[in-house]
Amino acid sequence: PLEDLRIKSEIYFQQLYNVPVSIYNNSFSMVNQGSGFQRFFPDSLQNTGTAQNYGLEVTLEKFFTKKWFLLFNISLYDSKYRGNDGVIRNTDFNGGFTANLLVGKEFKFNDKHSIVASTKITWVGGKRYGIVDDSLSNYYQELVFQDTLYNEFQFRNYFRLDLKIAYKVNSKGVSHELGFDLVNVLNIQNILGYSYAPQPNPAVSPVNLSYQLGFLPVFYYKIDFKVRRKKD
């Protein structure tokens, strides 16, 4: 039945003005802050920068009926900004697309005992990056990119598959859940980005690629209590 399905779409456009940028002709803009772990030491800034975001998002949802559910979401977008040098560049957040799929099913034995299995797939456009300025990075002991071709390159796309299975026992006033959450089952080495870490050996570059979480099995036990209020 179509009553348990819902499709939602959204088109958006955002224009930003008076964005803080450097007073010097470079690629710095506050719109990129928060995308990484670099320390932030602001110099003289002025509110003359701009930025623009637009995209399309579609969501398909199948509610939990007939003992299963589905949620699919995809977003196609573009995110650009302009620094004080007047050059239009990709923001640090401009991956281009995100897609998520969540599917789950319940296998019910009786009113008290059931098993719930679900899987989640995440696919996201890769993080943007530029050319590392080795001399400035060594001077500041921090990762610094050159203005030339800043954010013109893109790491490979992020992909992750998670699996979850749980055994549930429902009783009067309390429910128990025993389960396994298998994160990144395929153990894909997704790239987090470049990082700067000084090395005791000067022949070893302090600039290296950092990777996100690999395969992680999580075992858990959860208890939920049901509190009933007394009627007046």
Side-chain angles (χ1 to χ4, degrees):
L2 297 179
E3 290 78 8
D4 61 356
L5 287 176
R6 180 175 67 178
I7 299 178
K8 181 175 66 175
S9 62
E10 178 182 0
I11 298 176
Y12 61 89
F13 177 84
Q14 182 184 43
Q15 183 72 43
L16 303 177
Y17 299 94
N18 299 326
V19 178
V21 295
S22 175
I23 62 173
Y24 307 106
N25 291 331
N26 56 38
S27 62
F28 177 83
S29 175
M30 283 291 292
V31 297
N32 293 321
Q33 295 305 306
S35 64
F37 301 98
Q38 287 86 3
R39 293 172 292 175
F40 176 45
F41 300 104
D43 201 338
S44 300
L45 303 177
Q46 60 185 13
N47 298 330
T48 58
T50 60
Q52 185 181 89
N53 305 300
Y54 63 90
L56 167 67
E57 183 172 344
V58 179
T59 300
L60 171 64
E61 182 177 8
K62 193 269 182 188
F63 301 110
F64 185 71
T65 57
K66 296 184 179 180
K67 300 180 182 180
W68 75 283
F69 66 91
L70 179 146
L71 179 64
F72 174 72
N73 173 268
I74 185 170
S75 178
L76 306 175
Y77 62 91
D78 190 47
S79 179
K80 296 287 199 304
Y81 80 99
R82 188 195 303 268
N84 194 34
D85 58 4
V87 178
I88 298 177
R89 297 181 172 90
N90 295 297
T91 69
D92 289 6
F93 306 95
N94 194 18
F97 76 95
T98 61
N100 294 279
L101 174 65
L102 176 63
V103 182
K105 182 172 178 58
E106 181 184 32
F107 302 90
K108 202 167 186 178
F109 303 112
N110 49 49
D111 292 337
K112 292 185 177 181
H113 302 270
S114 64
I115 291 179
V116 177
S118 63
T119 182
K120 181 182 179 182
I121 299 175
T122 302
W123 189 28
V124 181
K127 182 178 175 60
R128 295 282 177 172
Y129 71 99
I131 300 175
V132 177
D133 191 316
D134 293 326
S135 59
L136 287 179
S137 296
N138 292 330
Y139 178 80
Y140 289 108
Q141 297 288 286
E142 186 75 22
L143 189 66
V144 178
F145 290 100
Q146 299 178 9
D147 283 336
T148 305
L149 301 179
Y150 182 78
N151 278 352
E152 283 297 308
F153 306 107
Q154 190 172 18
F155 292 119
R156 66 173 181 265
N157 296 333
Y158 175 99
F159 185 85
R160 198 176 92 184
L161 171 65
D162 301 338
L163 296 176
K164 181 178 179 180
I165 184 168
Y167 176 69
K168 292 186 176 182
V169 179
N170 296 314
S171 58
K172 187 177 181 179
V174 64
S175 64
H176 305 264
E177 182 175 333
L178 184 69
F180 286 95
D181 197 352
L182 306 178
V183 180
N184 195 4
V185 175
L186 301 179
N187 195 31
I188 295 178
Q189 299 298 300
N190 291 299
I191 298 175
L192 178 63
Y194 281 115
S195 61
Y196 185 91
Q199 303 293 326
N201 185 355
V204 179
S205 174
V207 179
N208 296 283
L209 279 177
S210 297
Y211 294 88
Q212 301 199 35
L213 183 69
F215 173 62
L216 178 66
V218 178
F219 170 79
Y220 70 92
Y221 173 64
K222 183 173 69 172
I223 302 178
D224 291 326
F225 296 95
K226 301 176 183 178
V227 180
R228 293 184 179 181
R229 296 182 179 180
K230 293 183 178 181
K231 296 183 178 180
D232 296 333

